[in-house]
Amino acid sequence: MSALNKTLQIRTSPHLTAGYSVDHIMRHVAWALLPTCGFAVFIFGLAALITLIVASLTCVLTEHVLCKQSGKISSVNDYSALVTGLLYGLTLPPGLPVWMVMVGAIIAIALGKFMFGGLGCNIFNPALVGRAFLQAAFPSAMTSWGPAMASERFSSVPSSLLAWPFQAPDYSSWADGVSSATPLALMKFEQQLTQHADLLSGMTTGSYGETCGVLILAGGTYLAIRKMLNWRIPLAIFVSAGTLSAICHYVSPELYPGAIFTLFSGGLMLGAVFMATDMVASPMTSKGVIVYGVLIGVLIVIIRNWGGLPEGVMYAILLANAASPHIDALTQPKVFGSQSKASSEGPE
Amino acid sequence: MLFQRHPTFDGGVHPPQSKALTADLPIRQFPFAPVLNIPLNQHIGQPAIPVVREGQEVERGALLAKPDGYMSVALHAPASGVVRRIGLMPSITGKMVPGIYLQPFPGATQEVQSGQPCNIETASAEDIIQAIQMAGIVGLGGAAFPTHAKLKAPAGKHIDTLIINGAECEPFLTNDYRVMLEQPDEILTGIHYLLNATGCRRAVIGIEDNKAAAAQALQTCLSGKHTSLTGKIEVVVVLTKYPQGAEKMLIEALIGRQVPRGGLPHDVGVVVVNVTSAAEIGRLLPRGLGIQERVITISGPAVNKPGNYRIPIGTPLRFALDYVGVSDSITEVYLGGPMMGQALPNLDISITKGTSGFTAFTDSQTTSPHHVFPCIHCAYCVDACPMHLNPSQLGLLAKHGEVSKMAEDFHLFDCFECGSCAFVCPSHIPLVQQFRAAKAEVRKMAAVHTGADA
Ligand code: SF4
Ligand code: SF4
């Protein structure tokens, strides 16, 4: 009888859990990003490797320091700062000076995440906040793209990478390689269309992690299958951006690119799959995520086709992030039984 | 249809079933405890009124207490023995409640006294309803609502469908499953009584697809022995998903009607009766008996001899667990299964009519106190909530103590604490706990308010 006289524990039901956990989800997101990171290193060499490591380390360190400063337990072991760091690094243009990488990473965590109250409270995707800051502060550095597949990419780094703070970076090294104008810029400013084969294989220049849509999709699919990514968001973006650009292309083929080009060029893939799906900054309701995705898709095409910039993914997502609490409020699920009214008789 | 999918409801979760521990074990008779502790109120409503006195000898099946009004049911002696005492005894709520201490005679034959049978051919609806009340039948799925009290539609309502709940979605529990396998005949007889009592033209038995054998047993028995009912009773297999056994979810899955908010199955023309209650009706009414025992599952990793047992009402839980044996590392015992079961502070309570089982765990198998992260808006809970609430929002409001906002704008009182949201939450936020506390708070505020008005 001794076991029966023990003091029992009382907790509230449910007494089981599905076994999900925030750190577990974040670790999987990091794994899903690895192929994309690997490809970035493959086509941009040491520069990509250094940038990704610096970006991640800076994010994680910033988070740790800020937590300690404000007397909280360090939250770096939930891996969210690492994911922010990787994502942020992947959105940067090749050859961006390392010191700028660090500044943006600090901004991403401090301003994009911590100022709002830390994990779960940020309104915007922190990685994009960091990138938006750099875009505003260093517009020319942020639109200078080192070439892909440069022959000396594994033996040296572009001199711009190691530029001293507040010195004009030097972009003259790495002369060969694939053209250092992005497909979007070629389209926008020279009406020159990049081959679809190059776009799909990622053999173009662009931000470190945005060029190979196929690998991004593979990572996204993995997460979607593990239910760690809401597939409705990228799907809504693809459908809306694809349809809208197909219509524009139909009306005026010389001015506007078609659907495939739109989807696989620039940061659309990376943004749609990994940025827009940030759980914290996207809506929660099943209708809301569709509205949100469509909004992003439409904004991207509008900015690309009619705005002054060749690329609009970042702004489109940030705007939609800002709208998502409102989207949520307008699309609250209908409570069970709220449609049917208490009737005096069964419906038969 | 290309993929034939079993009907179900929106939302819900898939906890591990853990039913294999006991699913194939036939129901076995449990021995009598030295003393049975029989509370007078084993149901929702008024406690029964004792008709025996201390020191009186009773035979098994004799009436111990009679119903006090309509919302009350009779109570019968689970064993031949002597009434030792009528007094207070511990209950699950922690309060002491009135009850009868019955000491079974050790060597008695325990033969059951037969009563006045209720003849299905001649009995009127009123007769059946009264017989069900006098047999002491309540919702044996756990709700313990007096079964007879829901068979008559309130004025102005009309009931057309009888739903028999055989979903049994709680992990570990297999008592309903065994009853369906072993007593299909009695279930169908019980349904016959219920159809006559309610005037419904059809009955639908809902069973989750992990219990296909039970559905098969009922179907075979229906087309074999109960051919007169074949057109009226339908066995429907639904998807295995928690909380499929919740009344509202089952009604939606089976016949596509949504019980309105704050409403009852009556409001959509339905009565739901648990499958074991139906079996007891079919077993007891033809012989004019009352409930003396019930089938329960005792399972869980901390139980040495898990199984399905026909156990006398009033058996002390301590005696029951001692009989099946528990491991030394036992830390938790739940009344029912681990999803909705209440954790027991001690083992001083006894088995009542509403007890569907017990599950006992050792520390390693349950939710060890996890690190709680902030809500990351993953929306897992929103997708899981069968009532289509927004548990994340409710949780955030609870954190800030905004309980009236929770109740008014986010439908707190539509939550029936199924636990699906907390089950999936990757941040391990104790959502159900917060919701319970918030409900208590709102009720307290309402009480103070009406008190001030009066
Ligand atoms: S416990 Fe309440 S809020 Fe949570 S899933 Fe169940 S009904 Fe919804
Ligand atoms: S499951 Fe938990 S973390 Fe996810 S949205 Fe709901 S409350 Fe927040």
Side-chain angles (χ1 to χ4, degrees), chain A residues 1-23 25-26 73 77-78 118-121 226-230 232 278-286 328 332-348, chain B residues 156-158 160 202 248-249 252 257-261 267-268 318 321-322 326-332 334 338-341 343-345 347 363 366-367 369 373-380 382 386-390 392 411 414 419 422-424 426-428 432-433 436:
Chain A
M1 282 289 267
S2 69
L4 294 178
N5 290 323
K6 279 175 59 166
T7 314
L8 297 173
Q9 294 191 19
I10 346 181
R11 300 197 196 101
T12 37
S13 60
H15 308 284
L16 299 177
T17 76
Y20 299 117
S21 166
V22 172
D23 51 329
I25 295 177
M26 293 297 171
I73 308 164
N77 48 9
D78 64 24
L119 178 69
C121 301
R226 306 218 86 182
K227 294 208 168 59
M228 292 170 179
L229 175 149
N230 192 336
R232 292 183 187 84
D278 178 350
M279 287 169 170
V280 181
S282 60
M284 298 179 65
T285 64
S286 49
D328 257 342
Q332 281 298 313
K334 282 240 166 16
V335 178
F336 185 96
S338 52
Q339 283 111 322
S340 51
K341 52 183 187 313
S343 62
S344 55
E345 245 177 297
E348 250 179 84
Chain B
K157 307 236 161 115
H158 171 76
D160 61 22
R202 65 162 174 166
K248 292 181 176 183
M249 277 68 247
E252 183 178 42
R257 298 181 197 165
Q258 271 199 4
V259 177
R261 293 185 57 204
D267 295 320
V268 289
R318 196 179 293 278
L321 287 183
D322 191 38
V326 296
S327 102
D328 281 340
S329 46
I330 185 170
T331 51
E332 277 143 283
Y334 311 131
M339 285 302 284
M340 263 181 117
L344 299 175
L347 304 178
D363 213 10
T366 55
T367 33
F373 295 98
C375 169
I376 57 162
H377 299 234
C378 63
Y380 288 0
V382 178
M387 295 306 290
H388 310 172
L389 306 178
N390 187 336
S392 153
H411 321 291
D414 284 278
F423 173 75
V424 291
S427 291
H428 314 130
V432 177
Q433 190 179 339
R436 274 200 198 117

Side-chain angles (χ1 to χ4, degrees), chain A:
Chain A
M1 282 289 267
S2 69
L4 294 178
N5 290 323
K6 279 175 59 166
T7 314
L8 297 173
Q9 294 191 19
I10 346 181
R11 300 197 196 101
T12 37
S13 60
H15 308 284
L16 299 177
T17 76
Y20 299 117
S21 166
V22 172
D23 51 329
H24 184 232
I25 295 177
M26 293 297 171
R27 262 200 318 269
H28 275 87
V29 176
W31 281 334
L33 281 170
L34 281 187
T36 302
C37 295
F39 190 77
V41 174
F42 169 63
I43 62 170
F44 296 109
L46 286 176
L49 189 65
I50 292 171
T51 304
L52 287 173
I53 290 174
V54 167
S56 315
L57 278 183
T58 314
C59 281
V60 170
L61 265 176
T62 310
E63 172 122 338
H64 185 74
V65 169
L66 285 174
C67 281
K68 288 281 159 209
Q69 285 260 308
S70 55
K72 288 195 219 162
I73 308 164
S74 173
S75 49
V76 292
N77 48 9
D78 64 24
Y79 293 86
S80 63
L82 175 70
V83 167
T84 299
L86 283 178
L87 276 174
Y88 160 77
L90 290 172
T91 63
L92 298 176
L96 187 76
V98 166
W99 72 272
M100 292 186 190
V101 174
M102 293 169 84
V103 170
I106 294 170
I107 295 286
I109 296 293
L111 223 65
K113 187 173 176 191
F114 223 77
M115 211 183 69
F116 291 100
L119 178 69
C121 301
N122 46 297
I123 295 175
F124 302 105
N125 181 323
L128 288 181
V129 171
R131 189 188 197 278
F133 174 83
L134 292 185
Q135 185 92 53
F138 314 107
S140 84
M142 286 298 285
T143 45
S144 310
W145 314 85
M149 304 302 286
S151 53
E152 69 274 37
R153 64 191 189 280
F154 292 115
S155 52
S156 68
V157 295
S159 45
S160 60
L161 198 75
L162 303 175
W164 285 100
F166 307 107
Q167 301 280 307
D170 165 22
Y171 285 97
S172 58
S173 62
W174 273 22
D176 66 345
V178 179
S179 139
S180 59
T182 66
L184 277 173
L186 287 174
M187 181 70 210
K188 181 110 191 164
F189 304 119
E190 294 163 35
Q191 269 78 46
Q192 185 187 332
L193 203 60
T194 310
Q195 290 297 315
H196 281 175
D198 288 344
L199 276 178
L200 290 177
S201 63
M203 293 296 174
T204 62
T205 195
S207 300
Y208 285 116
E210 70 181 23
T211 61
C212 188
V214 177
L215 288 179
I216 296 170
L217 277 178
T221 311
Y222 169 75
L223 287 179
I225 289 171
R226 306 218 86 182
K227 294 208 168 59
M228 292 170 179
L229 175 149
N230 192 336
W231 54 269
R232 292 183 187 84
I233 296 175
L235 196 72
I237 297 177
F238 298 156
V239 169
S240 58
T243 318
L244 189 57
S245 52
I247 294 171
C248 293
H249 183 68
Y250 180 76
V251 173
S252 151
E254 21 353 293
L255 267 182
Y256 307 122
I260 299 288
F261 180 89
T262 302
L263 294 184
F264 283 90
S265 61
L268 193 140
M269 256 324 143
L270 187 67
V273 174
F274 285 106
M275 304 276 185
T277 51
D278 178 350
M279 287 169 170
V280 181
S282 60
M284 298 179 65
T285 64
S286 49
K287 271 191 220 128
V289 291
I290 305 280
V291 175
Y292 169 85
V294 169
L295 180 66
I296 294 177
V298 169
L299 282 172
I300 291 175
V301 176
I302 291 178
I303 299 176
R304 280 187 183 179
N305 285 2
W306 299 291
L309 302 165
E311 177 59 304
V313 173
M314 178 178 77
Y315 293 114
I317 295 177
L318 286 173
L319 277 171
N321 281 167
S324 74
H326 307 285
I327 297 176
D328 257 342
L330 294 175
T331 55
Q332 281 298 313
K334 282 240 166 16
V335 178
F336 185 96
S338 52
Q339 283 111 322
S340 51
K341 52 183 187 313
S343 62
S344 55
E345 245 177 297
E348 250 179 84

Side-chain angles (χ1 to χ4, degrees), chain B residues 19 40 65 108 114 137 152 167 177 194 212 249 258 304 307 316 321 362:
Chain B
K19 291 185 191 266
L40 288 172
S114 261
I137 289 165
K152 236 189 345 202
Y177 173 64
L194 288 166
M249 277 68 247
Q258 271 199 4
N304 299 344
L321 287 183
T362 60

